[in-house]
PDB file of all heavy atoms in Angstrom:
ATOM      1  N   SER H 473       3.243  -9.540  -8.038  1.00  0.00           N
ATOM      2  CA  SER H 473       3.432 -10.963  -8.316  1.00  0.00           C
ATOM      3  C   SER H 473       3.956 -11.154  -9.735  1.00  0.00           C
ATOM      4  O   SER H 473       3.569 -10.407 -10.640  1.00  0.00           O
ATOM      5  CB  SER H 473       2.090 -11.685  -8.173  1.00  0.00           C
ATOM      6  OG  SER H 473       2.161 -12.971  -8.718  1.00  0.00           O
ATOM      7  N   PRO H 474       4.811 -12.156  -9.964  1.00  0.00           N
ATOM      8  CA  PRO H 474       5.257 -12.427 -11.333  1.00  0.00           C
ATOM      9  C   PRO H 474       4.099 -12.857 -12.230  1.00  0.00           C
ATOM     10  O   PRO H 474       4.191 -12.798 -13.442  1.00  0.00           O
ATOM     11  CB  PRO H 474       6.270 -13.556 -11.191  1.00  0.00           C
ATOM     12  CG  PRO H 474       6.371 -13.880  -9.758  1.00  0.00           C
ATOM     13  CD  PRO H 474       5.444 -13.015  -8.985  1.00  0.00           C
ATOM     14  N   HIS H 475       2.973 -13.223 -11.604  1.00  0.00           N
ATOM     15  CA  HIS H 475       1.795 -13.676 -12.359  1.00  0.00           C
ATOM     16  C   HIS H 475       0.657 -12.659 -12.275  1.00  0.00           C
ATOM     17  O   HIS H 475      -0.508 -13.019 -12.447  1.00  0.00           O
ATOM     18  CB  HIS H 475       1.320 -15.027 -11.819  1.00  0.00           C
ATOM     19  CG  HIS H 475       2.407 -16.036 -11.743  1.00  0.00           C
ATOM     20  ND1 HIS H 475       2.969 -16.606 -12.866  1.00  0.00           N
ATOM     21  CD2 HIS H 475       3.068 -16.545 -10.676  1.00  0.00           C
ATOM     22  CE1 HIS H 475       3.923 -17.439 -12.495  1.00  0.00           C
ATOM     23  NE2 HIS H 475       4.015 -17.421 -11.171  1.00  0.00           N
ATOM     24  N   VAL H 476       0.985 -11.388 -12.003  1.00  0.00           N
ATOM     25  CA  VAL H 476      -0.041 -10.358 -11.859  1.00  0.00           C
ATOM     26  C   VAL H 476      -0.931 -10.325 -13.110  1.00  0.00           C
ATOM     27  O   VAL H 476      -0.469 -10.556 -14.225  1.00  0.00           O
ATOM     28  CB  VAL H 476       0.598  -8.973 -11.589  1.00  0.00           C
ATOM     29  CG1 VAL H 476       1.421  -8.486 -12.765  1.00  0.00           C
ATOM     30  CG2 VAL H 476      -0.447  -7.946 -11.195  1.00  0.00           C
ATOM     31  N   VAL H 477      -2.209 -10.054 -12.878  1.00  0.00           N
ATOM     32  CA  VAL H 477      -3.187  -9.992 -13.969  1.00  0.00           C
ATOM     33  C   VAL H 477      -3.734  -8.569 -14.027  1.00  0.00           C
ATOM     34  O   VAL H 477      -4.148  -8.016 -13.009  1.00  0.00           O
ATOM     35  CB  VAL H 477      -4.334 -10.992 -13.739  1.00  0.00           C
ATOM     36  CG1 VAL H 477      -5.421 -10.836 -14.786  1.00  0.00           C
ATOM     37  CG2 VAL H 477      -3.803 -12.415 -13.730  1.00  0.00           C
ATOM     38  N   LEU H 478      -3.736  -7.985 -15.227  1.00  0.00           N
ATOM     39  CA  LEU H 478      -4.326  -6.670 -15.471  1.00  0.00           C
ATOM     40  C   LEU H 478      -5.610  -6.873 -16.245  1.00  0.00           C
ATOM     41  O   LEU H 478      -5.618  -7.554 -17.275  1.00  0.00           O
ATOM     42  CB  LEU H 478      -3.365  -5.780 -16.267  1.00  0.00           C
ATOM     43  CG  LEU H 478      -3.919  -4.438 -16.751  1.00  0.00           C
ATOM     44  CD1 LEU H 478      -4.277  -3.536 -15.576  1.00  0.00           C
ATOM     45  CD2 LEU H 478      -2.916  -3.758 -17.671  1.00  0.00           C
ATOM     46  N   LYS H 479      -6.695  -6.289 -15.752  1.00  0.00           N
ATOM     47  CA  LYS H 479      -7.987  -6.364 -16.437  1.00  0.00           C
ATOM     48  C   LYS H 479      -8.441  -4.943 -16.727  1.00  0.00           C
ATOM     49  O   LYS H 479      -8.482  -4.105 -15.825  1.00  0.00           O
ATOM     50  CB  LYS H 479      -9.033  -7.046 -15.559  1.00  0.00           C
ATOM     51  CG  LYS H 479      -8.690  -8.464 -15.179  1.00  0.00           C
ATOM     52  CD  LYS H 479      -9.709  -8.996 -14.191  1.00  0.00           C
ATOM     53  CE  LYS H 479      -9.202 -10.261 -13.541  1.00  0.00           C
ATOM     54  NZ  LYS H 479     -10.038 -10.661 -12.414  1.00  0.00           N
ATOM     55  N   LEU H 480      -8.768  -4.686 -17.992  1.00  0.00           N
ATOM     56  CA  LEU H 480      -9.244  -3.366 -18.400  1.00  0.00           C
ATOM     57  C   LEU H 480     -10.735  -3.432 -18.706  1.00  0.00           C
ATOM     58  O   LEU H 480     -11.232  -4.458 -19.165  1.00  0.00           O
ATOM     59  CB  LEU H 480      -8.481  -2.882 -19.635  1.00  0.00           C
ATOM     60  CG  LEU H 480      -6.974  -2.702 -19.444  1.00  0.00           C
ATOM     61  CD1 LEU H 480      -6.321  -2.321 -20.760  1.00  0.00           C
ATOM     62  CD2 LEU H 480      -6.689  -1.645 -18.395  1.00  0.00           C
ATOM     63  N   PRO H 481     -11.464  -2.330 -18.481  1.00  0.00           N
ATOM     64  CA  PRO H 481     -12.908  -2.330 -18.724  1.00  0.00           C
ATOM     65  C   PRO H 481     -13.237  -2.136 -20.195  1.00  0.00           C
ATOM     66  O   PRO H 481     -12.369  -1.804 -21.005  1.00  0.00           O
ATOM     67  CB  PRO H 481     -13.382  -1.125 -17.904  1.00  0.00           C
ATOM     68  CG  PRO H 481     -12.237  -0.168 -17.994  1.00  0.00           C
ATOM     69  CD  PRO H 481     -10.990  -1.038 -17.969  1.00  0.00           C
ATOM     70  N   ALA H 482     -14.521  -2.312 -20.540  1.00  0.00           N
ATOM     71  CA  ALA H 482     -14.996  -2.007 -21.889  1.00  0.00           C
ATOM     72  C   ALA H 482     -14.766  -0.519 -22.102  1.00  0.00           C
ATOM     73  O   ALA H 482     -14.849   0.260 -21.157  1.00  0.00           O
ATOM     74  CB  ALA H 482     -16.464  -2.365 -22.013  1.00  0.00           C
ATOM     75  N   PRO H 483     -14.438  -0.042 -23.227  1.00  0.00           N
ATOM     76  CA  PRO H 483     -14.388  -0.699 -24.523  1.00  0.00           C
ATOM     77  C   PRO H 483     -13.060  -1.397 -24.806  1.00  0.00           C
ATOM     78  O   PRO H 483     -12.772  -1.764 -25.926  1.00  0.00           O
ATOM     79  CB  PRO H 483     -14.601   0.447 -25.507  1.00  0.00           C
ATOM     80  CG  PRO H 483     -13.953   1.619 -24.839  1.00  0.00           C
ATOM     81  CD  PRO H 483     -14.179   1.413 -23.367  1.00  0.00           C
ATOM     82  N   PHE H 484     -12.215  -1.567 -23.774  1.00  0.00           N
ATOM     83  CA  PHE H 484     -10.941  -2.268 -23.919  1.00  0.00           C
ATOM     84  C   PHE H 484     -10.964  -3.534 -23.066  1.00  0.00           C
ATOM     85  O   PHE H 484     -10.159  -3.652 -22.144  1.00  0.00           O
ATOM     86  CB  PHE H 484      -9.769  -1.396 -23.453  1.00  0.00           C
ATOM     87  CG  PHE H 484      -9.837   0.031 -23.876  1.00  0.00           C
ATOM     88  CD1 PHE H 484     -10.167   1.024 -22.960  1.00  0.00           C
ATOM     89  CD2 PHE H 484      -9.582   0.390 -25.180  1.00  0.00           C
ATOM     90  CE1 PHE H 484     -10.233   2.345 -23.342  1.00  0.00           C
ATOM     91  CE2 PHE H 484      -9.648   1.718 -25.567  1.00  0.00           C
ATOM     92  CZ  PHE H 484      -9.976   2.693 -24.658  1.00  0.00           C
ATOM     93  N   PRO H 485     -11.854  -4.469 -23.308  1.00  0.00           N
ATOM     94  CA  PRO H 485     -11.934  -5.638 -22.417  1.00  0.00           C
ATOM     95  C   PRO H 485     -10.742  -6.570 -22.612  1.00  0.00           C
ATOM     96  O   PRO H 485     -10.812  -7.586 -23.271  1.00  0.00           O
ATOM     97  CB  PRO H 485     -13.245  -6.300 -22.819  1.00  0.00           C
ATOM     98  CG  PRO H 485     -13.408  -5.928 -24.259  1.00  0.00           C
ATOM     99  CD  PRO H 485     -12.783  -4.561 -24.402  1.00  0.00           C
TER     100      PRO H 485
END
Side-chain angles (χ1 to χ4, degrees):
S473 167
H475 308 289
V476 65
V477 174
L478 172 64
K479 299 174 194 169
L480 298 176
F484 318 106

